[in-house]
Structure formats: structure tokens, C-alpha cells
Amino acid sequence: MDSFRYKDGTLYAEGVPVRKIVEDVGTPAYVYSRETFLDHYTKIDKAFAEVPHLICYSVKANSCLAVLAVLNEAGAGFDVVSGGELVRVQKIGGDMKQVVFAGVGKTDEELAQALRAGILMFNVESEAELENIDRIAGQLKADGEIREPARVALRVNPDVDPKTHAYITTGKKENKFGVDLERASRILQEAGRFPNVRVAGIHAHIGSQITEVKPYQESLGKVVKFIQEHRRKEVPIQYLNSGGGFGIWYQDRKAQPASKYAEVIVPLVKDSGCTLVLEPGRFISGNSGIMLTKIVYVKESAGKRFLIVDAGMNDLVRPSLYGAFHEIWPLDAEALPPTRGGGPAEGAAYTQSDIVGPICESGDFLAKDRALPKGLGRGDVLAVYSAGAYGYVMAGNYNTRPFLPEVMVRGDKHYVVNRRQTVEELLEREKVPQELL
Ligand SMILES: Cc1ncc(COP(=O)(O)O)c(C=O)c1O
């Protein structure tokens, strides 16, 4: 569910007519609903209430400070993948004891930064990384900068197919993530080699936008068996981190409510005797945001109809990168979108169009052959739904296009939480030394 609804033929974000936001910040722009973030966070929290758990919101999905601050207020921890994301969490006053740090390529600087900050643990992806963490923690300890050993969760690759897009599949043996269970077992047995590290957990993130519960059952089944075997050998594994990956509705309403994932995960967590760590990103932020874009031109060519809009693949890359589907519907429309209680309204006329951006790449599109109400034209504003996750965070400045503003709505008020970048700001770090000319 989300809080973007049509009333009297116009779209509202919570209690604010979206038209009002367009008047304030223009287009293209991202708009977020505070209530929706909190609703999705709470759904997960309630679904897993039966077991001790920590929800570490995956900052990569939407790292806007206002989003992090709202989730922090609700009690969330955070999953970060870079020194930059860690600074974001520090900036909003996040509790470092609720922060996990993931990623295959953490640098020495990032490891030291996180150790000094006192995060809960690293998700470790390889033996080489474990050795490096041990070395850096040893140095910091010798220098009196830290006292405790570094806590880590070993990321295992359970070789399970999560049945999602290949680019966001991470738990199959051919993927670059984690270590296989056999190697993980060897690492645990040799953990004494790393005196400045304490292996406190096992981590298994198998992919993103997973809309079935079975892959979790399969993967965590293997992980829990592994934990039980190693408990017996007295390896004190305290945390079971199931990663993120819960899918959302983009098009076909196939995704599951949090309670369905909990139905299969909770019994396994009980068997493991561990505290569960969850790293949801998309589930919390995906449906909490929309992107607004204005039609600049309508073009008919070789029997095709193109709506050329002012947002490009640099602003929202998911359709170009993954062939992702985003529901798109005009702000002002008599008929509701098909997935919002709509379905073509009686008597309303529709046409098929490609919705494309202004960038000189054929891959620059938001939708292909999309049925939209007839009569849309220059100046009409479209809402691109489910753009709250992997939207703004994946944006770039290609074609020297500035970053979009981000707006958060609470009740009947909206707040610009990140203003539109100017071209001057975009060029700020560049210089042309005379010596080059
Ligand atoms: C280790 C890890 N945890 C959590 C996530 C968040 O995934 P999602 O947004 O699908 O919940 C990702 C995303 O790729 C990830 O790599």
C-alpha cells in the first residue's frame, strides 16, 4: 500500500495535491510519503515480533537524510555499503550499535572509519577481507583507538536461485558474493587465526525483488543447519542476518506481505537460537516515492507514438538498466490507473505510447507501449510510481543534467528535503588549468 491516491480526478500524496508540489519545485522531481515509509517499516517489525530482531534499513535503496531520520526515529538500524553511507547515518544521529556494513570491496579507510565509529558488525565477504579487518583492528587496538575486537558476520553463498532479475541475484554460486558453506566452515574452524576479529553471525542475502517465500526457506534452511552444526562445535554465533530482498508491487501485485515472509523465516530463526538481522531496502522505500515528469513533446513516427518527457535515464535508470516496469499515470485523470482500483474506465479512450527521455540513447525510456488516457499532451505531468527505491540514489549527471529535488510529504504539508542541483553546483569541482591550453 502507499499514500498516493486520486481524489476528485487529481493525485494526492497523503493530504497534499501533487499539483501543488509541481508548482513549488517544478519537474522532474521525486516526492516521498513519510507515512508510507513508516507503514512498511512497521509491517516488517510486527511480522517478526515473535523473535528478537533488528531491522537495518538498507541505505542504498534510498539514502536521503530525511528518509533516514524518519526511520531512525521509528527505531530502525541501518545497513551501509560505503564510508559515505556511514557518514549519512552518523549525520542523522543513528545508533552505531545498530549499523551493519556490507559490500565486497570495503577499503582500508572504510574499515578503519567504521571500526572507529563502533558499528555493530561487518558482513564479511571473503577470507582476504577477514585478514584485512583483523590487521586493521589490530593496529587500531595497538594505537588505543578501539578496545574490542571487530565483530563480523560471515556472508555465505547458499547457492539458491531467488527467481529475480539476473543483475540482482546474489546468492548463486556463480555470483561474486559471500563464500560457499564448505569454505565458511573452514574459516570458522580457523577463526583463532584472527585474534582481533570475533565471528558473531552468519549473513545470507540472496538477491533483491524476491516475490516468493520459497527461496528464503531454502537458503535459510541451509544456513540454520550450518549454524546448528557449528554451535555444537562451540562457535558462538549470535546473529542470523537474512539480508534484504523482500519484493514489492510494481505491476502485477505478485509481491507478498511481510507476514508471508515471516511465516517461513520465523520458525527457522527460532531453530537457530539467534537474533535475526534484516536488511530491507526496497520493501520500505520502493512504494514510498514517485517521480514526477512533464511531457515536453508528443511525436508520432512510423506508426508509433512517443511522449517525450523531461526526466531521463540519468534520473531513473531502472527501466533502462533492468527493463523494469513502473506504473505511470497522469496527475490529472478521470480514470484511475489500472492497478489503483482502475482498469480502463468505461467510455474513456486510451492510446499506446512509448514514454521516453531527452537523452541521445535509444535505451533512454521510462516505458514502452504503455496504455495511457488519450489526449495527453505538452505540459501534462505524469507520476512514475514505485520510484522510492533505487531511483534518486542511482541518478547521475549524464548530459550535464542536474540532480532532481526530493520532497517529503507529511499529512497536508510538503517539505523540500533536497533542493534541485544547479548547473553551477554541478560544475563546481571542475577546473581548466591554463597549462593545459
Ligand atoms: C547485502 C544487501 N543487503 C540488503 C540489500 C537490500 O535489498 P532490498 O532493497 O532488495 O531489500 C541489498 C541490495 O542489493 C544487499 O546487497
Side-chain angles (χ1 to χ4, degrees):
M1 256 322 291
D2 64 45
S3 303
F4 300 100
R5 303 211 185 100
Y6 285 84
K7 272 186 247 166
D8 306 324
T10 192
L11 182 66
Y12 277 69
E14 299 188 17
V16 179
V18 175
R19 166 84 33 214
K20 206 166 136 190
I21 301 174
V22 174
E23 281 162 17
D24 187 12
V25 299
T27 60
Y30 279 92
V31 178
Y32 305 134
S33 153
R34 178 181 179 276
E35 177 176 81
T36 312
F37 283 105
L38 290 175
D39 178 46
H40 290 141
Y41 171 79
T42 308
K43 279 185 171 134
I44 297 181
D45 200 28
K46 283 200 175 135
F48 289 91
E50 263 188 70
V51 286
H53 66 277
L54 172 63
I55 301 173
C56 292
Y57 167 69
S58 196
V59 173
K60 66 162 79 85
N62 184 327
S63 61
C64 178
L65 291 177
V67 171
L68 303 185
V70 164
L71 292 172
N72 186 51
E73 283 283 306
F78 297 96
D79 155 42
V80 302
V81 289
S82 72
E85 286 191 351
L86 180 59
V87 170
R88 283 183 178 273
V89 175
Q90 286 174 312
K91 201 156 178 162
I92 54 101
D95 178 359
M96 290 297 116
K97 285 278 162 278
Q98 299 203 129
V99 171
V100 296
F101 195 137
V104 284
K106 304 174 198 82
T107 64
D108 293 3
E109 293 74 23
E110 287 175 323
L111 292 171
Q113 177 190 350
L115 283 168
R116 287 192 185 106
I119 65 163
L120 177 61
M121 65 185 135
F122 295 105
N123 295 331
V124 171
E125 300 263 358
S126 65
E127 263 164 299
E129 189 190 336
L130 202 54
E131 276 167 25
N132 203 30
I133 295 177
D134 184 53
R135 182 181 63 81
I136 292 172
Q139 268 168 14
L140 293 179
K141 219 165 146 192
D143 295 344
E145 293 201 58
I146 60 169
R147 286 209 207 116
E148 304 281 313
R151 272 172 309 276
V152 305
L154 190 57
R155 179 167 182 179
V156 296
N157 185 326
D159 193 23
V160 165
D161 184 356
K163 308 222 165 26
T164 184
H165 192 284
Y167 288 6
I168 48 176
T169 292
T170 57
K172 285 173 76 181
K173 65 175 185 292
E174 60 266 35
N175 303 131
K176 66 182 173 185
F177 302 97
V179 294
D180 61 64
L181 291 171
E182 216 174 287
R183 187 174 282 265
S185 184
R186 249 181 293 137
I187 293 174
L188 285 188
Q189 279 157 29
E190 294 168 9
R193 277 208 293 133
F194 309 111
N196 302 302
V197 168
R198 189 161 74 73
V199 182
I202 300 293
H203 175 248
H205 168 83
I206 53 172
S208 196
Q209 183 54 13
I210 302 171
T211 53
E212 296 173 24
V213 300
K214 224 167 157 227
Y216 284 101
Q217 195 164 27
E218 215 182 308
S219 127
L220 294 176
K222 287 186 184 184
V223 171
V224 169
K225 192 161 160 261
F226 178 90
I227 290 175
Q228 286 167 336
E229 280 167 13
H230 289 80
R231 261 267 165 70
R232 274 184 235 126
K233 292 178 200 156
E234 291 180 9
V235 181
I237 297 166
Q238 236 180 302
Y239 296 97
L240 165 57
N241 185 333
S242 61
F246 298 168
I248 63 164
W249 294 346
Y250 282 104
Q251 176 179 16
D252 44 19
R253 312 217 149 203
K254 247 180 35 192
Q256 312 287 339
S259 55
K260 286 281 171 205
Y261 295 103
E263 260 171 40
V264 303
I265 296 175
V266 163
L268 289 164
V269 176
K270 285 184 178 166
D271 288 349
S272 78
C274 288
T275 294
L276 175 68
V277 180
L278 297 140
E279 299 172 347
R282 190 190 309 268
F283 189 89
I284 291 176
S285 56
N287 288 330
S288 304
I290 57 174
M291 185 183 71
L292 301 175
T293 185
K294 192 182 280 174
I295 300 172
V296 185
Y297 298 108
V298 179
K299 176 174 163 177
E300 311 261 354
S301 173
K304 265 196 98 84
R305 186 165 188 268
F306 296 97
L307 302 181
I308 302 169
V309 297
D310 61 1
M313 62 193 280
N314 69 299
D315 302 309
L316 178 65
V317 76
R318 297 190 70 261
S320 308
L321 186 62
Y322 309 118
F325 181 99
H326 284 265
E327 189 181 335
I328 299 179
W329 206 250
L331 282 201
D332 297 303
E334 275 167 35
L336 287 174
T339 51
R340 278 159 205 273
E346 240 174 84
Y350 294 82
T351 46
Q352 303 272 120
S353 312
D354 282 8
I355 303 167
V356 301
I359 291 172
C360 306
E361 310 249 355
S362 297
D364 179 29
F365 61 89
L366 293 174
K368 298 242 170 166
D369 295 323
R370 187 62 61 86
L372 284 171
K374 219 171 187 165
L376 285 175
R378 181 175 164 81
D380 286 329
V381 177
L382 305 176
V384 181
Y385 291 89
S386 310
Y390 307 104
Y392 183 92
V393 283
M394 288 177 99
N397 286 133
Y398 187 36
N399 283 199
T400 308
R401 291 167 52 83
F403 287 121
L404 310 193
E406 296 177 287
V407 175
M408 189 178 284
V409 171
R410 178 180 188 176
D412 59 3
K413 291 208 161 53
H414 72 275
Y415 304 86
V416 180
V417 293
N418 185 12
R419 64 172 171 74
R420 190 183 302 280
Q421 188 183 35
T422 64
V423 174
E424 291 69 37
E425 283 165 340
L426 194 161
L427 296 177
E428 217 163 51
R429 287 171 302 125
E430 297 189 37
K431 62 178 176 185
V432 184
Q434 269 308 305
E435 293 82 348
L436 291 178
L437 304 177

